[in-house]
PDB file of all heavy atoms in Angstrom:
ATOM      1  N   LEU X 126     169.465 237.630  15.142  1.00  0.00           N
ATOM      2  CA  LEU X 126     170.282 237.418  13.914  1.00  0.00           C
ATOM      3  C   LEU X 126     169.890 236.130  13.288  1.00  0.00           C
ATOM      4  O   LEU X 126     169.614 235.097  13.960  1.00  0.00           O
ATOM      5  CB  LEU X 126     171.774 237.391  14.329  1.00  0.00           C
ATOM      6  CG  LEU X 126     172.327 238.607  15.036  1.00  0.00           C
ATOM      7  CD1 LEU X 126     173.697 238.305  15.648  1.00  0.00           C
ATOM      8  CD2 LEU X 126     172.388 239.781  14.087  1.00  0.00           C
ATOM      9  N   ILE X 127     169.751 236.113  11.998  1.00  0.00           N
ATOM     10  CA  ILE X 127     169.402 234.904  11.247  1.00  0.00           C
ATOM     11  C   ILE X 127     170.316 234.758  10.096  1.00  0.00           C
ATOM     12  O   ILE X 127     170.566 235.684   9.306  1.00  0.00           O
ATOM     13  CB  ILE X 127     167.924 234.947  10.758  1.00  0.00           C
ATOM     14  CG1 ILE X 127     166.957 235.155  11.909  1.00  0.00           C
ATOM     15  CG2 ILE X 127     167.588 233.675  10.018  1.00  0.00           C
ATOM     16  CD1 ILE X 127     165.500 235.194  11.465  1.00  0.00           C
ATOM     17  N   LYS X 128     170.907 233.560   9.982  1.00  0.00           N
ATOM     18  CA  LYS X 128     171.693 233.184   8.815  1.00  0.00           C
ATOM     19  C   LYS X 128     171.150 231.881   8.254  1.00  0.00           C
ATOM     20  O   LYS X 128     170.447 231.113   8.958  1.00  0.00           O
ATOM     21  CB  LYS X 128     173.139 232.997   9.158  1.00  0.00           C
ATOM     22  CG  LYS X 128     173.840 234.346   9.551  1.00  0.00           C
ATOM     23  CD  LYS X 128     175.363 234.178   9.601  1.00  0.00           C
ATOM     24  CE  LYS X 128     176.009 235.568   9.869  1.00  0.00           C
ATOM     25  NZ  LYS X 128     177.471 235.509   9.858  1.00  0.00           N
ATOM     26  N   THR X 129     171.366 231.694   6.945  1.00  0.00           N
ATOM     27  CA  THR X 129     170.757 230.514   6.268  1.00  0.00           C
ATOM     28  C   THR X 129     171.891 229.728   5.575  1.00  0.00           C
ATOM     29  O   THR X 129     172.894 230.180   5.206  1.00  0.00           O
ATOM     30  CB  THR X 129     169.708 230.991   5.245  1.00  0.00           C
ATOM     31  OG1 THR X 129     170.375 231.778   4.197  1.00  0.00           O
ATOM     32  CG2 THR X 129     168.639 231.792   5.861  1.00  0.00           C
ATOM     33  N   THR X 130     171.537 228.450   5.411  1.00  0.00           N
ATOM     34  CA  THR X 130     172.281 227.585   4.541  1.00  0.00           C
ATOM     35  C   THR X 130     171.302 226.637   3.920  1.00  0.00           C
ATOM     36  O   THR X 130     170.114 226.557   4.359  1.00  0.00           O
ATOM     37  CB  THR X 130     173.354 226.792   5.380  1.00  0.00           C
ATOM     38  OG1 THR X 130     174.168 226.039   4.493  1.00  0.00           O
ATOM     39  CG2 THR X 130     172.729 225.874   6.417  1.00  0.00           C
ATOM     40  N   VAL X 131     171.664 225.938   2.935  1.00  0.00           N
ATOM     41  CA  VAL X 131     170.797 224.981   2.248  1.00  0.00           C
ATOM     42  C   VAL X 131     171.288 223.539   2.476  1.00  0.00           C
ATOM     43  O   VAL X 131     172.452 223.256   2.199  1.00  0.00           O
ATOM     44  CB  VAL X 131     170.685 225.292   0.723  1.00  0.00           C
ATOM     45  CG1 VAL X 131     169.796 224.267   0.045  1.00  0.00           C
ATOM     46  CG2 VAL X 131     170.119 226.721   0.536  1.00  0.00           C
ATOM     47  N   VAL X 132     170.365 222.707   2.923  1.00  0.00           N
ATOM     48  CA  VAL X 132     170.634 221.293   3.180  1.00  0.00           C
ATOM     49  C   VAL X 132     170.051 220.495   2.031  1.00  0.00           C
ATOM     50  O   VAL X 132     168.848 220.645   1.775  1.00  0.00           O
ATOM     51  CB  VAL X 132     170.100 220.850   4.538  1.00  0.00           C
ATOM     52  CG1 VAL X 132     170.282 219.338   4.708  1.00  0.00           C
ATOM     53  CG2 VAL X 132     170.791 221.591   5.683  1.00  0.00           C
ATOM     54  N   PRO X 133     170.810 219.621   1.378  1.00  0.00           N
ATOM     55  CA  PRO X 133     170.194 218.791   0.335  1.00  0.00           C
ATOM     56  C   PRO X 133     169.038 217.993   0.887  1.00  0.00           C
ATOM     57  O   PRO X 133     169.111 217.548   2.077  1.00  0.00           O
ATOM     58  CB  PRO X 133     171.362 217.885  -0.083  1.00  0.00           C
ATOM     59  CG  PRO X 133     172.601 218.657   0.243  1.00  0.00           C
ATOM     60  CD  PRO X 133     172.264 219.400   1.502  1.00  0.00           C
ATOM     61  N   ILE X 134     168.030 217.814   0.103  1.00  0.00           N
ATOM     62  CA  ILE X 134     166.784 217.114   0.596  1.00  0.00           C
ATOM     63  C   ILE X 134     167.177 215.779   1.202  1.00  0.00           C
ATOM     64  O   ILE X 134     166.616 215.393   2.244  1.00  0.00           O
ATOM     65  CB  ILE X 134     165.794 216.964  -0.575  1.00  0.00           C
ATOM     66  CG1 ILE X 134     165.387 218.322  -1.215  1.00  0.00           C
ATOM     67  CG2 ILE X 134     164.511 216.261  -0.069  1.00  0.00           C
ATOM     68  CD1 ILE X 134     164.788 219.301  -0.309  1.00  0.00           C
ATOM     69  N   ASP X 135     168.040 215.019   0.558  1.00  0.00           N
ATOM     70  CA  ASP X 135     168.352 213.665   1.055  1.00  0.00           C
ATOM     71  C   ASP X 135     169.210 213.658   2.333  1.00  0.00           C
ATOM     72  O   ASP X 135     169.476 212.600   2.929  1.00  0.00           O
ATOM     73  CB  ASP X 135     169.069 212.868  -0.031  1.00  0.00           C
ATOM     74  CG  ASP X 135     170.360 213.490  -0.472  1.00  0.00           C
ATOM     75  OD1 ASP X 135     170.578 214.657  -0.262  1.00  0.00           O
ATOM     76  OD2 ASP X 135     171.228 212.738  -1.060  1.00  0.00           O
ATOM     77  N   LYS X 136     169.637 214.906   2.740  1.00  0.00           N
ATOM     78  CA  LYS X 136     170.473 214.993   3.934  1.00  0.00           C
ATOM     79  C   LYS X 136     169.690 215.594   5.136  1.00  0.00           C
ATOM     80  O   LYS X 136     170.264 215.707   6.239  1.00  0.00           O
ATOM     81  CB  LYS X 136     171.681 215.826   3.685  1.00  0.00           C
ATOM     82  CG  LYS X 136     172.689 215.245   2.658  1.00  0.00           C
ATOM     83  CD  LYS X 136     173.377 214.067   3.229  1.00  0.00           C
ATOM     84  CE  LYS X 136     174.433 213.582   2.258  1.00  0.00           C
ATOM     85  NZ  LYS X 136     175.117 212.378   2.795  1.00  0.00           N
ATOM     86  N   ILE X 137     168.399 215.990   4.857  1.00  0.00           N
ATOM     87  CA  ILE X 137     167.646 216.631   5.967  1.00  0.00           C
ATOM     88  C   ILE X 137     167.521 215.701   7.173  1.00  0.00           C
ATOM     89  O   ILE X 137     167.619 216.130   8.306  1.00  0.00           O
ATOM     90  CB  ILE X 137     166.241 217.084   5.422  1.00  0.00           C
ATOM     91  CG1 ILE X 137     166.425 218.233   4.413  1.00  0.00           C
ATOM     92  CG2 ILE X 137     165.371 217.441   6.550  1.00  0.00           C
ATOM     93  CD1 ILE X 137     165.139 218.690   3.767  1.00  0.00           C
ATOM     94  N   SER X 138     167.287 214.440   6.902  1.00  0.00           N
ATOM     95  CA  SER X 138     167.098 213.497   8.031  1.00  0.00           C
ATOM     96  C   SER X 138     168.366 213.375   8.869  1.00  0.00           C
ATOM     97  O   SER X 138     168.309 213.137  10.076  1.00  0.00           O
ATOM     98  CB  SER X 138     166.728 212.120   7.471  1.00  0.00           C
ATOM     99  OG  SER X 138     167.723 211.644   6.574  1.00  0.00           O
ATOM    100  N   ASP X 139     169.558 213.582   8.252  1.00  0.00           N
ATOM    101  CA  ASP X 139     170.801 213.527   9.023  1.00  0.00           C
ATOM    102  C   ASP X 139     170.903 214.698   9.965  1.00  0.00           C
ATOM    103  O   ASP X 139     171.421 214.606  11.077  1.00  0.00           O
ATOM    104  CB  ASP X 139     172.009 213.573   8.069  1.00  0.00           C
ATOM    105  CG  ASP X 139     172.109 212.361   7.175  1.00  0.00           C
ATOM    106  OD1 ASP X 139     171.513 211.351   7.559  1.00  0.00           O
ATOM    107  OD2 ASP X 139     172.817 212.411   6.135  1.00  0.00           O
ATOM    108  N   VAL X 140     170.405 215.886   9.559  1.00  0.00           N
ATOM    109  CA  VAL X 140     170.409 217.063  10.409  1.00  0.00           C
ATOM    110  C   VAL X 140     169.373 216.983  11.524  1.00  0.00           C
ATOM    111  O   VAL X 140     169.655 217.426  12.680  1.00  0.00           O
ATOM    112  CB  VAL X 140     170.191 218.345   9.569  1.00  0.00           C
ATOM    113  CG1 VAL X 140     170.226 219.578  10.461  1.00  0.00           C
ATOM    114  CG2 VAL X 140     171.247 218.445   8.480  1.00  0.00           C
ATOM    115  N   ILE X 141     168.248 216.439  11.220  1.00  0.00           N
ATOM    116  CA  ILE X 141     167.164 216.286  12.223  1.00  0.00           C
ATOM    117  C   ILE X 141     167.520 215.168  13.222  1.00  0.00           C
ATOM    118  O   ILE X 141     167.450 215.381  14.452  1.00  0.00           O
ATOM    119  CB  ILE X 141     165.833 216.042  11.579  1.00  0.00           C
ATOM    120  CG1 ILE X 141     165.429 217.265  10.713  1.00  0.00           C
ATOM    121  CG2 ILE X 141     164.762 215.728  12.612  1.00  0.00           C
ATOM    122  CD1 ILE X 141     164.185 217.108   9.904  1.00  0.00           C
ATOM    123  N   GLY X 142     167.948 214.008  12.695  1.00  0.00           N
ATOM    124  CA  GLY X 142     168.270 212.896  13.547  1.00  0.00           C
ATOM    125  C   GLY X 142     167.067 212.186  14.080  1.00  0.00           C
ATOM    126  O   GLY X 142     165.938 212.657  13.981  1.00  0.00           O
ATOM    127  N   PRO X 143     167.327 210.987  14.656  1.00  0.00           N
ATOM    128  CA  PRO X 143     166.184 210.224  15.206  1.00  0.00           C
ATOM    129  C   PRO X 143     165.408 210.925  16.288  1.00  0.00           C
ATOM    130  O   PRO X 143     165.992 211.363  17.294  1.00  0.00           O
ATOM    131  CB  PRO X 143     166.880 208.938  15.781  1.00  0.00           C
ATOM    132  CG  PRO X 143     168.192 208.911  15.160  1.00  0.00           C
ATOM    133  CD  PRO X 143     168.588 210.313  14.869  1.00  0.00           C
ATOM    134  N   GLY X 144     164.113 211.151  16.081  1.00  0.00           N
ATOM    135  CA  GLY X 144     163.316 211.901  17.063  1.00  0.00           C
ATOM    136  C   GLY X 144     163.737 213.291  17.272  1.00  0.00           C
ATOM    137  O   GLY X 144     163.404 213.912  18.310  1.00  0.00           O
ATOM    138  N   GLY X 145     164.443 213.894  16.319  1.00  0.00           N
ATOM    139  CA  GLY X 145     164.925 215.260  16.411  1.00  0.00           C
ATOM    140  C   GLY X 145     166.103 215.418  17.288  1.00  0.00           C
ATOM    141  O   GLY X 145     166.462 216.575  17.698  1.00  0.00           O
ATOM    142  N   ARG X 146     166.815 214.325  17.592  1.00  0.00           N
ATOM    143  CA  ARG X 146     167.900 214.365  18.559  1.00  0.00           C
ATOM    144  C   ARG X 146     169.030 215.250  18.114  1.00  0.00           C
ATOM    145  O   ARG X 146     169.570 216.064  18.883  1.00  0.00           O
ATOM    146  CB  ARG X 146     168.433 212.955  18.860  1.00  0.00           C
ATOM    147  CG  ARG X 146     169.639 212.897  19.812  1.00  0.00           C
ATOM    148  CD  ARG X 146     169.852 211.438  20.243  1.00  0.00           C
ATOM    149  NE  ARG X 146     170.027 210.551  19.130  1.00  0.00           N
ATOM    150  CZ  ARG X 146     171.237 210.356  18.524  1.00  0.00           C
ATOM    151  NH1 ARG X 146     172.294 211.013  18.948  1.00  0.00           N
ATOM    152  NH2 ARG X 146     171.336 209.525  17.517  1.00  0.00           N
ATOM    153  N   VAL X 147     169.398 215.178  16.826  1.00  0.00           N
ATOM    154  CA  VAL X 147     170.522 215.943  16.313  1.00  0.00           C
ATOM    155  C   VAL X 147     170.235 217.470  16.289  1.00  0.00           C
ATOM    156  O   VAL X 147     171.017 218.233  16.773  1.00  0.00           O
ATOM    157  CB  VAL X 147     170.928 215.466  14.926  1.00  0.00           C
ATOM    158  CG1 VAL X 147     172.043 216.365  14.368  1.00  0.00           C
ATOM    159  CG2 VAL X 147     171.391 214.028  14.937  1.00  0.00           C
ATOM    160  N   ILE X 148     169.082 217.817  15.750  1.00  0.00           N
ATOM    161  CA  ILE X 148     168.756 219.251  15.636  1.00  0.00           C
ATOM    162  C   ILE X 148     168.559 219.884  17.023  1.00  0.00           C
ATOM    163  O   ILE X 148     168.945 221.040  17.260  1.00  0.00           O
ATOM    164  CB  ILE X 148     167.516 219.430  14.713  1.00  0.00           C
ATOM    165  CG1 ILE X 148     167.479 220.914  14.247  1.00  0.00           C
ATOM    166  CG2 ILE X 148     166.237 219.031  15.380  1.00  0.00           C
ATOM    167  CD1 ILE X 148     166.463 221.168  13.126  1.00  0.00           C
ATOM    168  N   LYS X 149     168.010 219.114  17.940  1.00  0.00           N
ATOM    169  CA  LYS X 149     167.808 219.621  19.312  1.00  0.00           C
ATOM    170  C   LYS X 149     169.201 219.787  19.984  1.00  0.00           C
ATOM    171  O   LYS X 149     169.435 220.740  20.674  1.00  0.00           O
ATOM    172  CB  LYS X 149     166.962 218.686  20.125  1.00  0.00           C
ATOM    173  CG  LYS X 149     165.495 218.704  19.737  1.00  0.00           C
ATOM    174  CD  LYS X 149     164.745 217.634  20.538  1.00  0.00           C
ATOM    175  CE  LYS X 149     163.273 217.510  20.097  1.00  0.00           C
ATOM    176  NZ  LYS X 149     162.531 216.455  20.769  1.00  0.00           N
ATOM    177  N   GLY X 150     170.094 218.885  19.670  1.00  0.00           N
ATOM    178  CA  GLY X 150     171.430 218.936  20.233  1.00  0.00           C
ATOM    179  C   GLY X 150     172.163 220.191  19.727  1.00  0.00           C
ATOM    180  O   GLY X 150     172.904 220.859  20.510  1.00  0.00           O
ATOM    181  N   ILE X 151     172.019 220.497  18.420  1.00  0.00           N
ATOM    182  CA  ILE X 151     172.656 221.691  17.854  1.00  0.00           C
ATOM    183  C   ILE X 151     172.132 222.956  18.522  1.00  0.00           C
ATOM    184  O   ILE X 151     172.911 223.808  18.939  1.00  0.00           O
ATOM    185  CB  ILE X 151     172.422 221.738  16.351  1.00  0.00           C
ATOM    186  CG1 ILE X 151     173.082 220.558  15.651  1.00  0.00           C
ATOM    187  CG2 ILE X 151     172.955 223.037  15.774  1.00  0.00           C
ATOM    188  CD1 ILE X 151     172.683 220.440  14.155  1.00  0.00           C
ATOM    189  N   SER X 152     170.780 223.017  18.684  1.00  0.00           N
ATOM    190  CA  SER X 152     170.145 224.185  19.325  1.00  0.00           C
ATOM    191  C   SER X 152     170.617 224.365  20.767  1.00  0.00           C
ATOM    192  O   SER X 152     170.986 225.481  21.188  1.00  0.00           O
ATOM    193  CB  SER X 152     168.634 224.030  19.305  1.00  0.00           C
ATOM    194  OG  SER X 152     168.143 224.003  17.983  1.00  0.00           O
ATOM    195  N   LYS X 153     170.776 223.269  21.470  1.00  0.00           N
ATOM    196  CA  LYS X 153     171.169 223.362  22.858  1.00  0.00           C
ATOM    197  C   LYS X 153     172.643 223.673  22.996  1.00  0.00           C
ATOM    198  O   LYS X 153     173.065 224.568  23.814  1.00  0.00           O
ATOM    199  CB  LYS X 153     170.896 221.981  23.580  1.00  0.00           C
ATOM    200  CG  LYS X 153     171.195 222.044  25.053  1.00  0.00           C
ATOM    201  CD  LYS X 153     170.804 220.741  25.714  1.00  0.00           C
ATOM    202  CE  LYS X 153     171.034 220.751  27.226  1.00  0.00           C
ATOM    203  NZ  LYS X 153     170.670 219.465  27.869  1.00  0.00           N
ATOM    204  N   GLU X 154     173.508 223.105  22.166  1.00  0.00           N
ATOM    205  CA  GLU X 154     174.929 223.293  22.291  1.00  0.00           C
ATOM    206  C   GLU X 154     175.363 224.737  21.919  1.00  0.00           C
ATOM    207  O   GLU X 154     176.209 225.347  22.600  1.00  0.00           O
ATOM    208  CB  GLU X 154     175.684 222.272  21.431  1.00  0.00           C
ATOM    209  CG  GLU X 154     177.198 222.482  21.480  1.00  0.00           C
ATOM    210  CD  GLU X 154     177.957 221.465  20.631  1.00  0.00           C
ATOM    211  OE1 GLU X 154     177.336 220.492  20.125  1.00  0.00           O
ATOM    212  OE2 GLU X 154     179.215 221.641  20.473  1.00  0.00           O
ATOM    213  N   PHE X 155     174.696 225.276  20.874  1.00  0.00           N
ATOM    214  CA  PHE X 155     175.112 226.563  20.379  1.00  0.00           C
ATOM    215  C   PHE X 155     174.165 227.715  20.792  1.00  0.00           C
ATOM    216  O   PHE X 155     174.372 228.850  20.397  1.00  0.00           O
ATOM    217  CB  PHE X 155     175.237 226.550  18.859  1.00  0.00           C
ATOM    218  CG  PHE X 155     176.292 225.599  18.338  1.00  0.00           C
ATOM    219  CD1 PHE X 155     175.948 224.382  17.804  1.00  0.00           C
ATOM    220  CD2 PHE X 155     177.630 225.915  18.425  1.00  0.00           C
ATOM    221  CE1 PHE X 155     176.875 223.467  17.342  1.00  0.00           C
ATOM    222  CE2 PHE X 155     178.583 225.036  17.974  1.00  0.00           C
ATOM    223  CZ  PHE X 155     178.226 223.829  17.437  1.00  0.00           C
ATOM    224  N   GLU X 156     173.134 227.378  21.563  1.00  0.00           N
ATOM    225  CA  GLU X 156     172.124 228.341  21.999  1.00  0.00           C
ATOM    226  C   GLU X 156     171.527 229.116  20.891  1.00  0.00           C
ATOM    227  O   GLU X 156     171.524 230.347  20.806  1.00  0.00           O
ATOM    228  CB  GLU X 156     172.781 229.324  22.997  1.00  0.00           C
ATOM    229  CG  GLU X 156     173.284 228.621  24.285  1.00  0.00           C
ATOM    230  CD  GLU X 156     173.898 229.594  25.300  1.00  0.00           C
ATOM    231  OE1 GLU X 156     174.206 230.747  24.867  1.00  0.00           O
ATOM    232  OE2 GLU X 156     174.093 229.226  26.440  1.00  0.00           O
ATOM    233  N   VAL X 157     171.015 228.393  19.848  1.00  0.00           N
ATOM    234  CA  VAL X 157     170.380 228.942  18.693  1.00  0.00           C
ATOM    235  C   VAL X 157     169.081 228.189  18.436  1.00  0.00           C
ATOM    236  O   VAL X 157     168.798 227.166  19.071  1.00  0.00           O
ATOM    237  CB  VAL X 157     171.274 228.811  17.444  1.00  0.00           C
ATOM    238  CG1 VAL X 157     172.531 229.652  17.660  1.00  0.00           C
ATOM    239  CG2 VAL X 157     171.652 227.341  17.171  1.00  0.00           C
TER     240      VAL X 157
END
């Protein structure tokens, strides 16, 4: 299953986080 959303360009770094910490955390917590 794939769903999409759009992140404003200036907010991409907030979603990724330092060294990818935030995006990796999302993937791990929600198993996605």
